[in-house]
Amino acid sequence: VGVIEDDPVLRAAVRQTLAQRREWTLALEAGCLADAAPLPELDVLLLDLGLPDGSGLGLIAPVSATSCK
């Protein structure tokens, strides 16, 4: 699972929730687009669309070309 979210409280909540699930691993945690590059291979990406360094919309096409949901 990858999380790109600029709100640190929300990011921490997602991290804590994933830590309770053994079958899920947090492979990427970033607060902006620059911190997420290059994207690792992910099964699921939770993506904030309004990030401080740009729109998350630009990642949707490249990510949808992979096996990521």
Side-chain angles (χ1 to χ4, degrees), residues 1-67:
V1 176
V3 178
I4 305 174
E5 168 61 56
D6 61 329
D7 181 339
V9 175
L10 183 54
R11 234 179 23 250
V14 171
R15 182 184 333 107
Q16 183 179 20
T17 300
L18 291 175
Q20 298 171 7
R21 305 292 304 229
R22 287 186 158 183
E23 66 273 17
W24 293 41
T25 302
L26 185 60
L28 168 71
E29 182 179 348
C32 64
L33 295 171
D35 290 346
L39 279 177
E41 184 79 21
L42 299 168
D43 293 321
V44 176
L45 176 61
L46 303 172
L47 175 62
D48 185 354
L49 299 181
L51 294 162
D53 60 346
S55 173
L57 289 172
L59 283 182
I60 293 176
V63 168
S64 65
T66 70
S67 62

